[in-house]
Amino acid sequence: MRILGISAHYHDSAATLLVDGMPVCAVQEERLSRHKNDASFPIAAIEWCLERGGLGPDELDAVVFYEKPMLKFERILTMALRGFPRTWHSFPRAMKNALGGKLWIKGIISSQLGVRANRILFAEHHQSHAAAAFLTAPTRRAAILTADGVGEWTTLSLGRGSVDDSGAVTLELLRELRFPHSLGMLYSTFTAYLGFPINEGEYKVMGLASYGKPTFEPQVRKMVRRTADGALVLDLSYFEFHEGARRSFSDRFITELGPPRDPLEPIDLATPEGARYADIAASVQRVLEDILVDLARSLKRETGLDDLCLGGGVALNGCANARILRESGFRNVYVPCAPGDAGCALGAALVADRLHFRQPHQEVPDHPYWGPQIDAQELSRVASEDGLELEELPRESELIDRVASELVRGRIVGWMQGSTELGPRALGNRSVLAAPHSVRMRDKLNRSIKYREEFRPFAPAVPIEHAERFFELPPGGARLGRFMSGVFPVRREWHDRLAAVTHVDGTARVQTVDRKMAPRFHALLEAYGALTGIPVLLNTSFNLAGEPIVNRAVEGYSTFRRSGIDLLVAGQAVVSKPRAAQVAPEAVA
Ligand SMILES: [Fe+2]
């Protein structure tokens, strides 16, 4: 059975190919189109998936879209009618923004791909999130919690999944929360209020939260009220997103919290205004975490299961995930590499295969590397055209030792290996790596590569075997770190020597690297540890601000040329800048 999964038209379009129950490949459109967060119909991703699978569109048994457009249309229409006449003017724009081409998706898929309409299926949005979380996790029975802004109507779902001995899959929905009551929209509204772009700036709110105290918690709690049955409702007088307004928060919201931040104004944490933004971020983060922990606890009580799978964009909140693991009673918390909408392409394909066609479940390989492979030859071509010398280091140990010693010297390394990651995190295949020890390195990266706000922390990567030595991981924490899904305390005695990756509150979003999943990256960390005594590297995504993560070697090369990266590695090929062009190295502590 050959199934193509698609997510599109909202945020992070992507495509996945599933053949005989196993993913063959998956990629986000942005990695190919080079438009960050590309939400258009993912024609390049689809073409690449089909080419990778050696299939024509006519050979597909099904194409499955990650949500049901008619249900979404119904929701937007209903909300517009409820708000009439206030919504009269915003309705056409809301329709266009929220639906885009989605309502006609069957026609688009059919005409763009030449696939017969009767082969086009639709999964429900949160079912796609749930499948992406549960059916890629190494478990056969788990509770499932999904939370995002909104899909069709659902904004949060609690359920459970199981795989029986014959491989039959059951996904059971226990409870759901419906639009406009939404934890994702609550957080996104604060994201917009704090002057960051919705759907992109949420992690900045989380970063900023660490600088503040939750002094506005009472005000936030007025906006989101818990109900006797354990659900929650937003007090809609504080919000305007449900009315299709340009602004997602209301005048009352401003009366409660003060004026919103101008996105063009830099945040200065030393000023009372800057401190107020940080306190507001800390307050919404606290409320979000408390509610998620409480919902997860209730799910634990109800199901009695050991494992919890988290899906939806809210599962990108590593601080909340870590608290859920520590406080909910679940032994394991699994977050897939792409819990957001990009991962829904894979989730929808799995829904079609396991539930619609009732194919027996097979365990999905436990890694994030589903995209295009790196081509070292391509790097060799562009570097030689540019007159830069390229070294081939065919012996694995030679490559690893060379890169490790450059990192020890304080060089910044662009590291491209194997297949591109699915999801928003660079997990060692398209990463920028650097020594994690000094604040100067963090500042240098911010200055010469990432050009980003100082309050956003960089993440460390560590071999899973050594993780406990540096980080305070609760039971199950190492697993949550597999795809960088949890934020954990850095052990006090390492703060000074891991200063570039330790956030202001003493935490880090650690990646625990499994040798089996990423052998070369693991070997590099070990080699760096052998030289410095600290097998930890700073790992940040390989891209410049505003650009998607690099995919091909030529994109890595272009980024290398335009930034302060000193050394570029693609497979076993190494290019370094002429000495004169290099920034002075940082001494390693
Ligand atoms: Fe979603």
Side-chain angles (χ1 to χ4, degrees):
M1 183 118 342
R2 295 143 169 184
I3 299 170
L4 182 74
I6 297 174
S7 63
H9 293 317
Y10 181 57
H11 189 257
D12 274 351
S13 295
T16 303
L17 182 65
L18 201 71
V19 174
D20 297 334
M22 286 296 249
V24 172
C25 54
V27 68
Q28 284 152 255
E29 185 73 0
E30 64 158 29
R31 306 289 159 88
L32 303 173
S33 72
R34 309 308 301 157
H35 297 298
K36 194 171 169 67
N37 301 127
D38 195 339
S40 57
F41 187 74
I43 196 70
I46 292 169
E47 279 175 0
W48 177 79
C49 283
L50 292 177
E51 197 185 308
R52 176 74 184 266
L55 295 175
D58 53 329
E59 294 174 277
L60 292 169
D61 296 293
V63 177
V64 53
F65 194 64
Y66 79 128
E67 63 182 15
K68 297 195 167 175
M70 283 313 289
L71 283 177
K72 188 155 191 161
F73 176 72
E74 176 197 88
R75 189 244 307 160
I76 290 163
L77 193 61
T78 307
M79 294 313 293
L81 292 174
R82 246 184 234 170
F84 189 83
R86 272 170 301 138
T87 51
W88 178 243
H89 293 290
S90 61
F91 180 60
R93 194 183 64 246
M95 289 297 295
K96 186 171 174 298
N97 288 353
L99 279 172
K102 266 188 197 169
L103 194 54
W104 325 115
I105 195 73
K106 201 166 202 163
I108 293 170
I109 294 173
S110 173
S111 64
Q112 294 256 9
L113 298 183
V115 172
R116 284 208 305 277
N118 65 1
R119 294 201 176 166
I120 300 169
L121 307 172
F122 296 90
E124 278 179 27
H125 189 105
H126 275 255
Q127 200 176 33
S128 301
H129 276 312
F134 171 59
L135 294 173
T136 62
T139 174
R140 292 175 88 87
R141 274 161 60 86
I144 305 170
L145 192 165
T146 64
D148 66 0
V150 62
E152 298 96 355
W153 276 103
T154 310
T155 64
L156 185 146
S157 77
L158 301 175
R160 69 181 141 210
S162 64
V163 181
D164 73 13
D165 290 342
S166 71
V169 170
T170 309
L171 282 185
E172 192 186 346
L173 177 70
L174 299 170
R175 270 168 293 144
E176 65 175 357
L177 188 67
R178 301 192 120 208
F179 191 84
H181 307 292
S182 161
L183 280 182
M185 293 309 273
L186 172 76
Y187 207 82
S188 293
T189 299
F190 276 83
T191 302
Y193 171 84
L194 290 168
F196 305 119
I198 287 181
N199 289 328
E200 287 171 44
E202 281 74 5
Y203 58 98
K204 296 186 185 179
V205 177
M206 198 183 83
L208 188 58
S210 303
Y211 286 87
K213 293 195 179 62
T215 51
F216 289 89
E217 198 182 322
Q219 286 92 325
V220 181
R221 290 207 186 272
K222 278 201 269 182
M223 299 175 184
V224 52
R225 206 165 35 74
R226 304 303 305 275
T227 57
D229 62 353
L232 53 107
V233 286
L234 297 186
D235 180 337
L236 295 174
S237 66
Y238 291 104
F239 302 94
E240 288 185 357
F241 64 80
H242 55 292
E243 294 180 335
R246 277 188 196 281
R247 203 178 66 174
S248 48
F249 46 90
S250 70
D251 290 339
R252 193 172 176 210
F253 191 103
I254 296 171
T255 308
E256 203 69 64
L257 296 174
R261 184 177 81 89
D262 177 349
L264 300 174
E265 287 280 312
I267 295 180
D268 182 352
L269 292 161
T271 65
E273 271 306 86
R276 180 173 70 90
Y277 300 138
D279 288 346
I280 291 172
S283 304
V284 70
Q285 176 68 28
R286 167 71 63 85
V287 171
L288 175 88
E289 287 177 12
D290 285 353
I291 293 174
L292 285 170
V293 166
D294 188 58
L295 291 168
R297 272 192 198 137
S298 74
L299 200 49
K300 171 70 189 169
R301 278 196 301 274
E302 200 168 342
T303 63
L305 294 166
D306 284 336
D307 295 346
L308 172 66
C309 297
L310 292 178
V314 174
L316 286 166
N317 195 305
C319 295
N321 296 345
R323 268 197 65 195
I324 291 170
L325 176 64
R326 275 199 307 267
E327 299 176 33
S328 68
F330 284 103
R331 207 172 286 169
N332 294 299
V333 172
Y334 297 111
V335 179
C337 58
D341 285 0
C344 282
L346 175 57
L350 289 166
V351 168
D353 188 74
R354 311 298 201 257
L355 297 175
H356 183 80
F357 294 114
R358 297 185 173 283
Q359 296 297 302
H361 181 62
Q362 302 171 60
E363 211 165 288
V364 171
D366 197 6
H367 67 73
Y369 311 123
W370 297 106
Q373 285 262 351
I374 201 70
D375 176 2
Q377 296 298 321
E378 189 178 83
L379 177 61
S380 161
R381 275 195 304 276
V382 288
S384 68
E385 277 168 22
D386 235 6
L388 282 190
E389 207 175 307
L390 178 128
E391 289 171 78
E392 288 277 359
L393 299 171
R395 273 193 33 231
E396 185 79 8
S397 59
E398 211 183 336
L399 171 82
I400 297 297
D401 292 347
R402 167 74 197 282
V403 178
S405 63
E406 293 278 0
L407 286 161
V408 171
R409 294 178 58 227
R411 303 289 186 204
I412 299 172
V413 175
W415 176 255
M416 302 185 288
Q417 299 293 340
S419 296
T420 309
E421 295 91 344
L422 179 67
R425 317 264 199 240
L427 296 165
N429 277 16
R430 298 292 185 279
S431 290
V432 169
L433 305 175
H437 314 293
S438 86
V439 172
R440 287 196 309 279
M441 177 58 87
R442 186 194 67 199
D443 294 345
K444 183 168 143 184
L445 278 164
N446 272 328
R447 227 175 26 244
S448 64
I449 300 171
K450 305 299 276 195
Y451 313 111
R452 62 185 204 174
E453 299 90 341
E454 268 170 33
F455 57 82
R456 287 176 52 200
F458 286 108
V462 61
I464 197 163
E465 303 86 339
H466 304 299
E468 299 262 2
R469 195 174 138 213
F470 303 99
F471 306 98
E472 284 174 37
L473 300 176
R479 168 66 216 197
L480 196 53
R482 187 178 182 88
F483 303 142
M484 260 188 198
S485 306
V487 172
F488 300 105
V490 179
R491 288 193 187 281
R492 188 75 203 91
E493 62 270 30
W494 291 102
H495 282 198
D496 290 346
R497 279 170 291 175
L498 293 175
V501 293
T502 301
H503 201 22
V504 62
D505 57 359
T507 63
R509 200 185 66 207
V510 57
Q511 181 192 359
T512 48
V513 181
D514 176 2
R515 187 195 306 269
K516 281 209 254 358
M517 187 178 101
R520 189 170 282 174
F521 188 33
H522 188 277
L524 180 64
L525 288 159
E526 290 285 8
Y528 184 80
L531 293 171
T532 61
I534 303 175
V536 179
L537 287 171
L538 181 157
N539 171 16
T540 184
S541 56
F542 193 165
N543 63 312
L544 299 182
E547 295 182 5
I549 297 176
V550 302
N551 172 34
R552 294 172 52 187
V554 65
E555 292 142 14
Y557 185 76
S558 156
T559 307
F560 163 72
R561 291 299 270 171
R562 288 179 291 139
S563 70
I565 296 172
D566 301 304
L567 195 78
L568 182 64
V569 183
Q572 282 158 306
V574 178
V575 180
S576 51
K577 279 186 187 145
R579 281 277 174 259
Q582 292 186 3
V583 185
E586 292 292 325
V588 168

